[in-house]
Amino acid sequence: MMRTVLMSSIGLALVAAPAMAAERTGYMAIAAGNLKKAEATLSTARQTGNATPEVLLNLAAVYQQTGRTAEARSLYAAVLDSPDVQMDLASGATAGSHQVAQRGLNRLTPLAIATR
């Protein structure tokens, strides 16, 4: 089963498009810019055992957009540690959950590197 996600203009917010999943994955709240509501919805989904790639990626995007880089990085890593799931993007392209998570990691502020 392919999963549909939408790349948002507010960073790497990934939101599931199917109507049944729209609320569970925080789609409506993220699309409306209500990151607080999206976080509450996604945290609840995660705590009740619904930590699908869409939930983790959307929660990571919320964390990223609210300046919680370490938390976002942790969720992107969790997606990379789970099986890759193919997703349909709103653009019509497809991408695996690993590819989407890697894109999210690439958009995070790089880890500090000591220089002399």
Side-chain angles (χ1 to χ4, degrees):
M1 173 170 129
M2 286 290 224
R3 296 160 180 203
T4 304
V5 295
L6 167 70
M7 297 296 282
S8 171
S9 62
I10 55 173
L12 186 71
L14 302 169
V15 290
M20 296 288 291
E23 199 53 45
R24 179 184 57 78
T25 61
Y27 168 76
M28 291 196 247
I30 291 172
N34 188 343
L35 299 181
K36 185 174 183 175
K37 181 178 179 183
E39 182 176 348
T41 298
L42 294 164
S43 293
T44 298
R46 186 176 179 211
Q47 292 168 358
T48 58
N50 293 316
T52 63
E54 298 90 341
V55 167
L56 296 178
L57 291 167
N58 287 349
L59 187 55
V62 169
Y63 286 162
Q64 183 175 347
Q65 293 172 44
T66 56
R68 292 176 281 171
T69 304
E71 291 91 337
R73 185 173 278 113
S74 176
L75 290 177
Y76 289 133
V79 171
L80 291 171
D81 286 342
S82 64
D84 194 24
V85 175
Q86 288 298 307
M87 299 179 178
D88 288 328
L89 303 178
S91 66
T94 60
S97 56
H98 288 185
Q99 181 182 6
V100 175
Q102 191 60 57
R103 286 182 195 164
L105 283 171
N106 292 343
R107 289 182 183 213
L108 291 174
T109 305
L111 295 173
I113 300 173
T115 60
R116 195 171 175 148

